[in-house]
Amino acid sequence: ELKRFRIDSLPAHGKSATIRYLNNARLEQSLSIDKRIPRFRYCKVENGKVRKASIRRLRGESVYIYFWNSKHDRFGADSTTINKIINNPKGVKVLCLNYGDSPKWVARFNQYYSTRWNMGFSARHIHDKLHVVKLPAGILIDKKQRVIYPSIQPSGILEILSN
């Protein structure tokens, strides 16, 4: 039987930890194919202002949701692939949700590389809803916001678009 725990505190010295058993936690590991993606709201920075946005605003378009952080090994290669996906005429919209980098860093990244990424910020509650366990991660949804691929990397999206 699988059980789920949450680490409540972990001091910097690492000599102790407070761990809590979550007795009512759902242990489903991924989104179901052909089911609608759960609603979620994320923060978005546009023209120096932070505003909330909803995944529902992207209804009517196939969307690749990519969760990323600059500290991961594949960040450079994935960035190049995402630019290729965005420039592909087959029309998959990309929503990049950053987890862990500061908004200032992300703004500088976008400005320096002149990205045309639809950029936002993720949070733990979004990861829990979408069953994102490890970064980088990606989910492809269709125009009705049903899950096509619950776990796919940018190279997989590019391959699908090439066929």
Side-chain angles (χ1 to χ4, degrees):
E1 180 182 326
L2 293 173
K3 295 185 179 188
R4 189 168 181 182
F5 297 86
R6 170 171 282 146
I7 297 174
D8 286 335
S9 69
L10 184 62
H13 57 73
K15 293 181 181 177
S16 65
T18 305
I19 300 173
R20 181 171 30 123
Y21 169 61
L22 303 173
N23 56 350
N24 293 328
R26 290 179 48 205
L27 294 174
E28 186 178 320
Q29 293 299 314
S30 68
L31 297 171
S32 299
I33 294 173
D34 289 331
K35 300 275 180 156
R36 283 188 67 174
I37 194 167
R39 288 180 187 217
F40 67 90
R41 293 177 64 79
Y42 58 95
C43 288
K44 187 174 184 170
V45 178
E46 283 183 337
N47 303 323
K49 295 183 180 181
V50 177
R51 67 178 186 87
K52 292 217 177 209
S54 171
I55 188 64
R56 295 295 184 235
R57 295 187 76 212
L58 300 174
R59 208 177 336 203
E61 301 180 71
S62 294
V63 179
Y64 177 55
I65 307 167
Y66 178 68
F67 298 90
W68 68 284
N69 185 294
S70 64
K71 294 165 186 69
H72 292 92
D73 296 340
R74 290 199 328 255
F75 175 67
D78 283 356
S79 297
T80 304
T81 307
I82 286 172
N83 283 328
K84 290 178 183 175
I85 294 168
I86 289 170
N87 294 327
N88 191 299
K90 291 195 178 173
V92 171
K93 184 146 185 127
V94 178
L95 171 62
C96 296
L97 296 177
N98 181 277
Y99 184 76
D101 291 318
S102 72
K104 193 177 203 176
W105 186 92
V106 173
R108 278 187 283 171
F109 171 84
N110 286 335
Q111 185 177 20
Y112 183 79
Y113 291 104
S114 301
T115 64
R116 295 182 311 150
W117 298 8
N118 186 7
M119 186 74 73
F121 296 94
S122 186
R124 173 58 48 202
H125 72 278
I126 296 172
H127 289 210
D128 289 346
K129 273 186 173 184
L130 302 179
H131 307 289
V132 174
V133 178
K134 181 176 141 180
L135 297 178
I139 301 166
L140 181 64
I141 59 175
D142 67 11
K143 293 177 181 186
K144 294 183 179 178
Q145 297 199 327
R146 293 178 301 206
V147 176
I148 299 171
Y149 289 97
S151 178
I152 188 168
Q153 295 304 320
S155 57
I157 298 293
L158 198 57
E159 188 177 315
I160 290 168
L161 294 175
S162 299
N163 296 333

